[in-house]
Amino acid sequence: MAEVRNKQVILKDYVRGYPKESDMIVTSSTLKLKLPEGSKGVLVKNLYLSCDPYMRGRMSYRDSYVDSFNPASPISGYGVSKVLESGDPNLKEGDLVWGMTGWEEYSILNATQGLFKIHHSDHVPLSYYTGILGMPGMTAYVGFYELCSPKKGEYVYVSAASGAVGQLVGQFAKLLGCYVVGSAGSKEKVDLLKDKFGFDDAFNYKEEPDLDAALKRYFPEGIDIYFENVGGKMLNAVLLNVRNHARIPVCGMISQYNLEKPEGVHNLVQVIVRQVRMEGFVVGDYYHLYPKFLEFIMPDIRQGNIEYVEDIAEGLESGPAALVGLFSGRNVGKQVVVVSRD
Amino acid sequence: MAEVRNKQVILKDYVRGYPKESDMIVTSSTLKLKLPEGSKGVLVKNLYLSCDPYMRGRMSYRDSYVDSFNPASPISGYGVSKVLESGDPNLKEGDLVWGMTGWEEYSILNATQGLFKIHHSDHVPLSYYTGILGMPGMTAYVGFYELCSPKKGEYVYVSAASGAVGQLVGQFAKLLGCYVVGSAGSKEKVDLLKDKFGFDDAFNYKEEPDLDAALKRYFPEGIDIYFENVGGKMLNAVLLNVRNHARIPVCGMISQYNLEKPEGVHNLVQVIVRQVRMEGFVVGDYYHLYPKFLEFIMPDIRQGNIEYVEDIAEGLESGPAALVGLFSGRNVGKQVVVVSRD
């Protein structure tokens, strides 16, 4: 079997503060395109890689719900891959899968439990399995529907609203008949929220010196559901504007991931005053709902009721810049890295 | 009908910072012992008054889940009262009730919806209806059983653990087979937790310069359930010691009520990392469960499986000192004020 040069993205060392493109290098090693004897895993060719905020945690050496990256190996993350060889009878050569893979051209995955077989149809781009049809889609679905029990007419606020998850939460809430406002960090993103995703309103948080005042303007009646993606000052301001029995699914706190000392949240007494439920969740606990999710979302995608915006970076070499760009908000929509289109 | 001098506790003005005994005065006014013509309410003689931390919120002028006190009227709170005259066919002269009443010798209560009729038995002191058999008992029950879905063997931490609610939460958890540690602010209270309430362990938080280190010592395996009564620094330290899927029912944050600017909680990212559910609640939303609660707790009281410690202040004149004493931890156990024993 052929040996190939396998291009890879390696983390040079654990990161403190904001990650930089130069914290990673793109290098290559030699790989024999063959599964080890007796392997129950798969050899895959990686097509699309997903850039997700939670990956920041893996760049640090610390206790988290995901392991730290190993600085000697390629980093890993969600991606869409094509099976070249399989030791798992449920997968065969040519199958498409999504799940955890390496940031490299080819990966040998020793276990297949976390992989989802893609039943691909031409209605959707394959890259969607890094986003709306993959982990971020499930995250939006679980966080909004499973954790919030949302009702028509409720007031929903989404931060980081044009991102991989936020754009979906806002659209789910609109489809249900909620009043939805999103915030994002540029005029372009704010326009996207209002014009493409159909949010009732949207604002640029960078232009709001007083977030509490901004929220009072956009939610004079208060907030029933806050889909938490950013944390810190934003959460602090939201707590001053929640209605009774508000729900805050805590999906991410991207504003805090690069700080040596996270910001203090001072208004937690509101959790009692307004009987708020804040709930952190990890989408991996809910993957048994994935078939139900696909049934829910596929018709809306086909009928054009749900839009999805991706920000596509071409080539594995563009991976490090694409990944660190998440933390300065460079991406507009879901950040994807194309390794190969087939 | 006789006119009486009706002794009353009045809040002189809204309070900032720690309340002082001198923020209230004990005065008296004249009251005709007769319901107004056509009233559907009750005229009651107040027997026992309950001192509860949430009352601090009512001493400030601000938006909360309970109204601010009216500085011109006697303050109000939970209490046990005897009906002298009733305009409600479900209550008659001589009946005992618990619920919201005035801090005064006699009260005219215009509505009876919030009153619970006491079916008194000699097995329990009547004052228990301000504590274990009243609002604090229901609070412990709802916060622990309804919000936490606790399981045998789980690690439970209770702050303000010798107080009206905490002492019950710890005992409920022990009866269920949990491992329970409590914290309190004096050696006397810590001894009570261990010797009388049967906590597995207890510590004096005032003697722990590093709360994170203390919790790591008492919970080397981490915390499944934190019954939150204090907020601030304690919550911050707990978040560093939670296990996956920890539950934090937020009952109170007594350490924060007297601060002009509440402390910042910096470790909320742990809510995601450990998939924590924090939930504020107000016991008033759960009073439909009161009959179920009585069925649950009465046998354990009769059989001596549950202890309850009260701190009894004699006479309405002692009310202001008893109430402000909550915020310096002067009370040992549930703080009650006796207005009259019958």
Side-chain angles (χ1 to χ4, degrees):
Chain A
M1 191 49 90
E3 270 199 355
V4 293
R5 293 302 292 173
N6 189 25
K7 225 180 290 172
Q8 302 181 310
V9 176
I10 308 261
L11 184 69
K12 287 198 284 194
D13 198 359
Y14 292 118
V15 173
R16 306 187 71 151
Y18 275 82
K20 302 177 300 296
E21 195 178 335
S22 60
D23 290 326
M24 289 164 271
I25 46 166
V26 182
T27 177
S28 70
S29 68
T30 304
L31 182 74
K32 209 197 270 188
L33 281 183
K34 181 91 195 88
L35 274 183
E37 197 65 43
S39 167
K40 297 212 158 40
V42 283
L43 168 70
V44 297
K45 182 178 184 197
N46 295 313
L47 307 181
Y48 299 93
L49 297 174
S50 179
C51 298
D52 295 299
Y54 82 90
M55 296 167 77
R56 175 63 188 85
R58 306 190 66 189
M59 295 183 181
S60 299
Y61 185 73
R62 63 178 175 201
D63 178 39
S64 183
Y65 59 101
V66 285
D67 294 336
S68 296
F69 290 132
N70 177 347
S73 308
I75 67 171
S76 57
Y78 284 95
V80 172
S81 313
K82 189 165 72 180
V83 175
L84 299 185
E85 186 188 354
S86 172
D88 175 345
N90 297 310
L91 292 173
K92 60 174 200 300
E93 188 185 333
D95 279 351
L96 296 165
V97 294
W98 73 267
M100 277 285 164
T101 191
W103 275 46
E104 55 190 345
E105 293 173 286
Y106 300 93
S107 296
I108 287 174
L109 307 173
N110 293 320
T112 56
Q113 289 95 320
L115 296 180
F116 295 87
K117 193 160 155 180
I118 296 174
H119 301 281
H120 190 49
S121 91
D122 292 337
H123 294 96
V124 297
L126 197 48
S127 56
Y128 272 20
Y129 289 90
T130 66
I132 182 170
L133 296 174
M135 181 278 282
M138 272 296 286
T139 300
Y141 177 74
V142 165
F144 186 63
Y145 285 103
E146 295 292 316
L147 273 68
C148 292
S149 311
K151 289 183 291 293
K152 183 175 172 175
E154 287 195 310
Y155 296 96
V156 176
Y157 174 51
V158 186
S159 56
S162 70
V165 174
Q167 55 176 297
L168 291 174
V169 173
Q171 291 182 87
F172 291 167
K174 280 307 300 173
L175 285 173
L176 192 68
C178 298
Y179 182 84
V180 185
V181 178
S183 59
S186 72
K187 182 175 186 311
E188 180 185 6
K189 293 178 186 181
V190 167
D191 289 345
L192 203 59
L193 294 177
K194 291 196 280 194
D195 301 339
K196 192 164 182 82
F197 300 134
F199 283 49
D200 293 289
D201 218 329
F203 65 94
N204 181 348
Y205 71 89
K206 292 179 180 168
E207 291 180 349
E208 298 289 349
D210 181 343
L211 291 171
D212 176 31
L215 291 172
K216 286 190 165 50
R217 212 161 64 232
Y218 288 100
F219 291 100
E221 306 289 326
I223 296 167
D224 291 300
I225 293 175
Y226 169 50
F227 200 94
E228 169 65 302
N229 286 316
V230 307
K233 288 182 191 66
M234 185 63 87
L235 176 57
N236 215 33
V238 166
L239 287 168
L240 296 175
N241 290 280
V242 283
R243 287 156 68 91
N244 282 351
H245 302 288
R247 286 135 281 158
I248 304 182
V250 186
C251 172
M253 292 191 172
I254 196 171
S255 73
Q256 305 298 296
Y257 296 163
N258 301 306
L259 306 179
E260 285 293 303
K261 182 173 166 61
E263 292 174 311
V265 173
H266 296 265
N267 299 323
L268 285 168
V269 170
Q270 290 291 107
V271 168
I272 311 173
V273 171
R274 294 291 173 207
Q275 306 110 62
V276 175
R277 190 173 73 221
M278 280 182 68
E279 189 165 359
F281 69 106
V282 170
V283 66
D285 289 346
Y286 295 87
Y287 277 143
H288 58 282
L289 300 177
Y290 184 64
K292 184 178 158 198
F293 166 65
L294 283 185
E295 276 178 41
F296 160 82
I297 202 165
M298 276 299 194
D300 279 324
I301 295 178
R302 289 212 185 91
Q303 292 159 27
N305 298 331
I306 289 189
E307 301 280 350
Y308 201 64
V309 171
E310 299 179 312
D311 192 326
I312 305 275
E314 292 290 337
L316 192 59
E317 295 79 359
S318 68
L323 181 54
V324 304
L326 288 180
F327 302 100
S328 58
R330 200 191 70 162
N331 58 306
V332 177
K334 166 68 196 175
Q335 182 67 59
V336 183
V337 176
V338 186
V339 185
S340 170
R341 284 199 157 71
D342 54 25
Chain B
M1 192 48 89
E3 271 198 357
V4 294
R5 292 303 293 174
N6 188 25
K7 225 180 288 171
Q8 303 179 310
V9 176
I10 308 262
L11 184 69
K12 286 198 284 189
D13 199 358
Y14 292 118
V15 173
R16 305 186 73 150
Y18 276 82
K20 302 178 300 297
E21 196 180 334
S22 60
D23 290 325
M24 288 164 271
I25 47 166
V26 182
T27 177
S28 70
S29 68
T30 305
L31 181 75
K32 210 199 272 186
L33 281 183
K34 181 90 197 89
L35 274 183
E37 196 65 42
S39 168
K40 298 210 159 39
V42 283
L43 167 70
V44 298
K45 183 181 183 194
N46 295 313
L47 306 181
Y48 297 95
L49 297 174
S50 178
C51 298
D52 294 299
Y54 81 90
M55 294 168 77
R56 176 63 188 83
R58 306 191 65 189
M59 294 182 180
S60 300
Y61 185 73
R62 65 180 174 200
D63 179 40
S64 182
Y65 59 100
V66 284
D67 294 334
S68 295
F69 290 133
N70 177 348
S73 307
I75 67 171
S76 56
Y78 284 95
V80 172
S81 313
K82 188 165 74 179
V83 175
L84 300 185
E85 187 189 352
S86 174
D88 175 343
N90 297 310
L91 292 174
K92 62 174 197 303
E93 189 184 332
D95 279 350
L96 294 166
V97 294
W98 72 268
M100 277 285 163
T101 192
W103 276 45
E104 54 190 345
E105 292 173 287
Y106 299 93
S107 296
I108 287 175
L109 306 174
N110 293 320
T112 56
Q113 289 95 318
L115 297 179
F116 294 87
K117 194 159 152 182
I118 296 174
H119 301 279
H120 191 49
S121 90
D122 292 336
H123 294 95
V124 295
L126 197 49
S127 55
Y128 271 21
Y129 289 89
T130 67
I132 183 171
L133 294 175
M135 182 276 284
M138 273 296 287
T139 300
Y141 177 76
V142 165
F144 186 63
Y145 285 104
E146 295 292 316
L147 273 68
C148 293
S149 310
K151 288 184 291 293
K152 184 177 171 173
E154 288 196 309
Y155 297 94
V156 176
Y157 173 51
V158 186
S159 56
S162 70
V165 174
Q167 57 176 296
L168 291 174
V169 173
Q171 291 181 88
F172 291 167
K174 280 307 300 172
L175 284 173
L176 192 68
C178 299
Y179 182 83
V180 184
V181 178
S183 59
S186 72
K187 181 173 186 313
E188 179 185 6
K189 293 178 186 182
V190 166
D191 289 345
L192 203 59
L193 294 177
K194 291 195 279 194
D195 301 338
K196 191 166 183 80
F197 301 133
F199 283 49
D200 293 289
D201 217 332
F203 65 94
N204 181 348
Y205 71 90
K206 291 180 180 168
E207 290 179 351
E208 297 290 348
D210 182 342
L211 290 171
D212 176 31
L215 290 172
K216 287 191 164 49
R217 211 161 65 234
Y218 288 100
F219 292 100
E221 308 287 328
I223 297 167
D224 291 300
I225 293 175
Y226 168 50
F227 200 95
E228 167 67 301
N229 287 316
V230 307
K233 288 183 191 66
M234 186 62 87
L235 176 57
N236 215 33
V238 167
L239 286 168
L240 296 175
N241 290 281
V242 283
R243 287 158 67 91
N244 281 351
H245 301 288
R247 286 135 282 159
I248 304 183
V250 186
C251 171
M253 292 192 171
I254 196 170
S255 74
Q256 305 299 295
Y257 297 164
N258 302 306
L259 305 179
E260 286 291 305
K261 181 172 165 62
E263 291 174 311
V265 173
H266 295 265
N267 299 323
L268 285 168
V269 169
Q270 291 290 108
V271 168
I272 310 173
V273 171
R274 294 292 173 206
Q275 307 110 62
V276 176
R277 191 172 74 222
M278 280 182 69
E279 189 165 359
F281 69 106
V282 170
V283 66
D285 289 347
Y286 296 87
Y287 277 143
H288 57 282
L289 300 176
Y290 185 63
K292 185 179 158 199
F293 166 66
L294 283 185
E295 275 177 42
F296 160 81
I297 201 164
M298 275 298 194
D300 278 325
I301 295 178
R302 288 210 186 93
Q303 291 158 28
N305 299 331
I306 290 190
E307 300 280 349
Y308 200 63
V309 170
E310 299 179 311
D311 191 326
I312 305 275
E314 292 290 337
L316 192 59
E317 295 78 0
S318 69
L323 182 54
V324 305
L326 289 179
F327 302 100
S328 59
R330 200 191 69 162
N331 58 306
V332 177
K334 166 67 196 176
Q335 182 66 60
V336 183
V337 176
V338 187
V339 185
S340 171
R341 285 197 156 76
D342 55 21

